Amino acid sequence: MDGFEKRRNDKKKAILQAALELFDQHGFDKVTVTEIAEKAHVSKVSIYNFFESKDNLRRVIIKDMLDESIRKVQELIGKEGNFIDKIREYIQIRTWYYGKYGLQFFFNAVESDSELRQYFAEFNAASKRLVMEFIAEGKRSGVFSSDVSDTAIEIVIDMFQTYLFHNREIRNTLERNPKLAEEVHMLFMDGLIRGKDNGKN
């Protein structure tokens, strides 16, 4: 990467980070492109050149978050190692957003933008496929019980996704307490573990 391309990428990252922080702190509607430019130390023209509009800037932020989550799970699935350790890492991946940025910003964006709603629906479908792939590995390793059917597991995943999307109160609760989010995911994993001793391997 040459110097020009590096400066361009650095400028784009600065805009994304500044916008995310401002949207999270003040709400999307209250933040102006001028404020984003000032915080990122760039011109307004740069923001429009990179992202075309404030709406599209928010779309890029949300899509990047979803893509990163998918990428991390894919990398974990392809990683060698003790499956119990992989469970711990999986939970960290699934809960990394809690406590870092506001869930309200994320879900307000998805709820108010039809393009993001479609992208989120595709993300949930891809995410469920990856979870099922991860669980299949757990079954093969003997850590997860093979007696629990994939159909039952998929129902639980669908229930969790739907509940989180439609319940603003629980989103607020999880956002204030990232540890609780970890416990919820651990309960799901515990339900798949074949026996108490396996969880100590």
Side-chain angles (χ1 to χ4, degrees):
M1 181 186 300
D2 59 28
F4 173 79
E5 191 66 25
K6 183 180 185 305
R7 288 192 297 274
R8 180 179 171 83
N9 286 342
D10 288 346
K11 185 182 290 187
K12 187 175 181 179
K13 289 178 183 177
I15 294 169
L16 289 168
Q17 185 60 37
L20 176 55
E21 291 176 6
L22 289 171
F23 293 158
D24 187 44
Q25 291 170 8
H26 306 293
F28 176 76
D29 293 332
K30 293 182 180 179
V31 175
T32 66
V33 173
T34 299
E35 290 170 330
I36 296 170
E38 290 175 353
K39 186 173 181 64
H41 304 293
V42 302
S43 68
K44 289 171 61 175
V45 173
S46 292
I47 294 177
Y48 288 118
N49 284 341
F50 279 120
F51 302 103
E52 298 180 0
S53 67
K54 190 175 80 164
D55 284 334
N56 197 53
L57 172 55
R58 180 174 65 171
R59 288 187 193 106
V60 171
I61 290 171
I62 297 299
K63 289 179 179 181
D64 282 353
M65 289 178 181
L66 296 175
D67 291 347
E68 182 178 5
S69 177
I70 290 290
R71 178 183 58 76
K72 287 182 175 181
V73 176
Q74 287 173 329
E75 290 175 354
L76 177 63
I77 290 173
K79 183 178 176 182
E80 297 291 333
N82 181 284
F83 191 77
I84 295 296
D85 293 334
K86 291 179 75 169
I87 289 176
R88 297 188 188 98
E89 191 171 342
Y90 172 84
I91 293 172
Q92 290 174 352
I93 291 170
R94 286 300 184 185
T95 58
W96 72 273
Y97 187 84
Y98 297 100
K100 186 176 182 182
Y101 300 112
L103 288 178
Q104 289 309 120
F105 158 69
F106 176 88
F107 281 100
N108 285 343
V110 172
E111 290 166 357
S112 64
D113 188 314
S114 60
E115 183 177 331
L116 284 178
R117 282 199 301 277
Q118 178 61 34
Y119 203 86
F120 187 56
E122 293 168 0
F123 162 81
N124 277 336
S127 178
K128 184 164 77 169
R129 286 194 297 270
L130 286 173
V131 174
M132 295 306 297
E133 189 175 339
F134 182 72
I135 290 171
E137 180 185 349
K139 288 182 176 183
R140 289 193 301 271
S141 71
V143 173
F144 290 157
S145 172
S146 59
D147 294 333
V148 182
S149 71
D150 288 350
T151 300
I153 294 168
E154 289 182 4
I155 289 173
V156 172
I157 293 170
D158 288 340
M159 288 170 61
F160 181 77
Q161 290 177 344
T162 302
Y163 183 64
L164 189 62
F165 185 78
H166 292 288
N167 194 311
R168 183 181 295 263
E169 183 178 345
I170 195 61
R171 295 200 306 254
N172 289 338
T173 299
L174 293 174
E175 183 179 338
R176 291 192 300 267
N177 189 349
K179 177 65 176 172
L180 181 62
E182 292 181 7
E183 290 175 1
V184 170
H185 283 275
M186 194 67 239
L187 279 172
F188 176 57
M189 293 292 149
D190 279 346
L192 297 171
I193 292 177
R194 178 175 304 223
K196 185 181 292 187
D197 289 343
N198 281 337
K200 298 178 182 177
N201 290 341

